[in-house]
């Protein structure tokens, strides 16, 4: 290990060299060893590499950006505290994301977004990152742009999901324009993985009062209901996300949202029941909760035989 420490200290020192070639070679080597050697990552952080890596994100060199961003991503697996305590790191990541369509390479954009997702695993970092409006705006723009590579979109969605896990961040995500591009992906994107990630973000941001009006503008309830139609062939994860989103709308939007959800949700009771029977443990619980919302006190449900079809699910809710 001592040999590794000396090697790392030497490589980090070279990041400050006046020689472009020396810096490039050291950077490439740090990326390689941080990828393949988990034990070396804390050593790289302790040697002072992170400020250099953050500064390199401002470089106009694509290879330098990519190596720096990939190394930061590798370090984020085991050295999250070191990254978050580095002054200017989030600003550097924001810069790289902001220029996703111009001076930042796609690979660097993807690594930066993935680094955010990794950092957002820690609960206490979510309000910190969520307070950076420029980061959220850049992630939304990546999702919105038709020129963004699918991998960039997917990594941006995962970062937005992590941000939205903190309830007080959700209105920021909505305010910065995420609703329309998210629903656009759900409706128009053919890649199942991206639709799953987009609907996961939608399910989170539905959990705030500001979602009601924005969802109305894009016919969001109708889109979510369509996802639960068994004839559309949505994946299990997408259907669970749709259930979660509709339930959150009712819980946080009150009667303004509840009326639309009750009226439209009755059309896809079979789809909701399928999630209640066959979904994940969390999905089952939420689907039963949505069934209760739709059935209890709904004046549109007049057929008692229709009600009885779902009684067994409601009665079994305590076992989910």
């Amino acid at each position: 290990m001592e040999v590794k420490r000396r090697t790392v200290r030497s490589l980090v020192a070279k990041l400050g060299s006046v020689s472009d070639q020396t810096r490039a070679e050291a950077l490439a080597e740090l990326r390689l060893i941080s990828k393949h050697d988990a034990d070396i990552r804390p050593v790289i952080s302790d040697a002072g590499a992170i400020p250099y890596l953050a500064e390199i994100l401002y470089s106009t060199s694509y290879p330098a950006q990519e190596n720096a961003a990939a190394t930061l991503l590798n370090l984020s697996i085991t050295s999250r505290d070191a990254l978050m305590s580095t002054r200017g790191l989030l600003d550097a990541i924001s810069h790289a994301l902001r220029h996703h369509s111009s001076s930042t390479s796609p690979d660097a954009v993807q690594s930066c977004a993935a680094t955010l997702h990794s950092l957002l695993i820690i609960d206490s970092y979510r309000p910190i990152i969520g307070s950076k409006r420029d980061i959220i705006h850049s992630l939304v723009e990546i999702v919105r742009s038709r020129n963004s590579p699918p991998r960039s979109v997917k990594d941006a969605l995962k970062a937005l999901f992590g941000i939205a896990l903190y309830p007080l961040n959700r209105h920021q995500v909505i305010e910065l324009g995420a609703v329309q591009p998210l629903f656009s992906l759900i409706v128009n994107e053919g890649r199942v993985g991206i639709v799953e990630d987009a609907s996961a973000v939608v399910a989170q941001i539905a959990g705030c009062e500001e979602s009601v009006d924005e969802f109305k503008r894009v016919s969001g309830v109708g889109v979510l209901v369509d996802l639960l139609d068994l004839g559309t062939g949505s994946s299990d994860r997408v259907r669970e996300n749709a259930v979660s989103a509709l339930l959150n709308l009712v819980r946080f939007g009150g009667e303004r949202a509840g009326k639309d959800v009750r009226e439209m949700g009755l059309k896809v009771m079979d789809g909701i029941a399928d999630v209640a029977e066959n979904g994940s443990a969390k999905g089952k619980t939420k689907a039963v909760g949505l069934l209760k919302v739709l059935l209890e006190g709904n004046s549109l449900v007049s057929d008692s035989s229709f009600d009885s079809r779902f009684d067994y699910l409601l009665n079994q809710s305590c076992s989910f």
Side-chain angles (χ1 to χ4, degrees):
M1 182 57 78
E2 184 55 38
V3 173
K4 290 183 179 181
R5 288 194 181 93
R6 287 199 298 270
T7 300
V8 167
R9 286 196 292 267
S10 174
L11 290 171
V12 171
K14 289 178 181 178
L15 293 179
S17 171
V18 296
S19 166
D20 291 342
Q21 182 175 349
T22 298
R23 291 198 304 273
E25 290 173 352
L27 187 57
E29 183 63 22
L30 285 169
R31 175 182 181 174
L32 186 65
I33 62 176
S34 66
K35 178 180 180 180
H36 295 292
D37 189 344
D39 293 335
I40 209 71
R41 293 168 191 154
V43 178
I44 294 172
S45 299
D46 292 343
I50 298 174
Y52 285 111
L53 298 172
E55 182 64 29
I56 293 169
L57 293 181
Y58 293 96
S59 168
T60 57
S61 164
Y62 273 19
Q65 294 171 6
E66 291 165 3
N67 285 331
T71 305
L72 287 170
L73 174 57
N74 295 337
L75 297 182
S76 74
I77 299 170
T78 54
S79 302
R80 296 185 179 97
D81 288 344
L83 265 69
M84 287 296 292
S85 62
T86 299
R87 184 186 298 274
L89 173 72
L90 293 180
D91 291 335
I93 289 176
S94 175
H95 171 86
L97 295 175
R98 187 164 62 250
H99 294 88
H100 65 94
S101 61
S102 55
S103 59
T104 306
S105 83
D107 285 351
V109 169
Q110 292 155 24
S111 291
C112 284
T115 298
L116 288 176
H117 179 245
S118 177
L119 294 172
L120 287 158
I121 290 173
I122 306 300
D123 291 358
S124 60
Y125 294 161
R126 292 170 188 164
I128 298 171
I129 295 173
S131 70
K132 301 285 188 179
R133 289 173 59 89
D134 49 347
I135 285 180
I136 297 175
H137 180 266
S138 296
L139 293 170
V140 170
E141 289 305 307
I142 291 169
V143 171
R144 186 193 308 277
S145 174
R146 294 183 177 181
N147 295 322
S148 294
R151 183 72 250 177
S152 296
V153 173
K154 193 168 181 65
D155 287 325
L157 288 170
K158 288 183 178 297
L160 284 171
F161 176 79
I163 290 170
L165 285 174
Y166 182 63
L168 296 182
N169 288 339
R170 293 168 187 167
H171 77 279
Q172 291 260 54
V173 177
I174 291 172
E175 184 181 320
L176 291 169
V179 172
Q180 189 278 327
L182 287 170
F183 275 98
S184 180
L185 282 179
I186 291 172
V187 172
N188 299 314
E189 178 57 57
R191 299 174 181 86
V192 174
I194 288 181
V195 176
E196 289 178 342
D197 290 335
S199 60
V201 180
V202 165
Q204 290 300 317
I205 63 174
C208 70
E209 186 178 351
E210 292 82 358
S211 65
V212 179
D213 290 336
E214 291 302 317
F215 279 38
K216 277 183 178 294
R217 290 189 178 95
V218 295
S219 303
V221 172
V223 172
L224 294 169
V225 165
D226 285 345
L227 294 177
L228 287 164
D229 187 329
L230 294 175
T232 62
S234 299
S235 73
D236 291 345
R237 185 181 166 207
V238 167
R239 290 190 295 118
E240 288 197 15
N241 289 337
V243 165
S244 180
L246 290 170
L247 190 57
N248 275 340
L249 272 176
V250 173
R251 287 175 173 171
F252 290 87
E255 190 52 37
R256 285 195 302 152
K259 183 175 182 293
D260 288 343
V261 172
R262 289 187 185 94
E263 289 179 358
M264 295 191 222
L266 291 177
K267 303 173 185 176
V268 289
M269 294 289 286
D270 288 338
I272 300 169
D274 185 68
V275 176
E277 291 176 310
N278 303 309
S280 65
K282 187 178 293 187
K284 288 178 178 180
T285 300
K286 291 185 177 182
V288 169
L290 185 57
L291 285 174
K292 288 181 178 179
V293 167
L294 297 178
L295 291 175
E296 294 176 0
N298 193 333
S299 61
L300 298 175
V301 181
S302 57
D303 185 352
S304 60
S305 63
F306 178 83
D307 251 22
S308 65
R309 293 172 57 202
F310 303 97
D311 280 347
Y312 77 101
L313 286 172
L314 300 181
N315 292 333
Q316 292 183 47
S317 62
C318 61
S319 66
F320 292 147

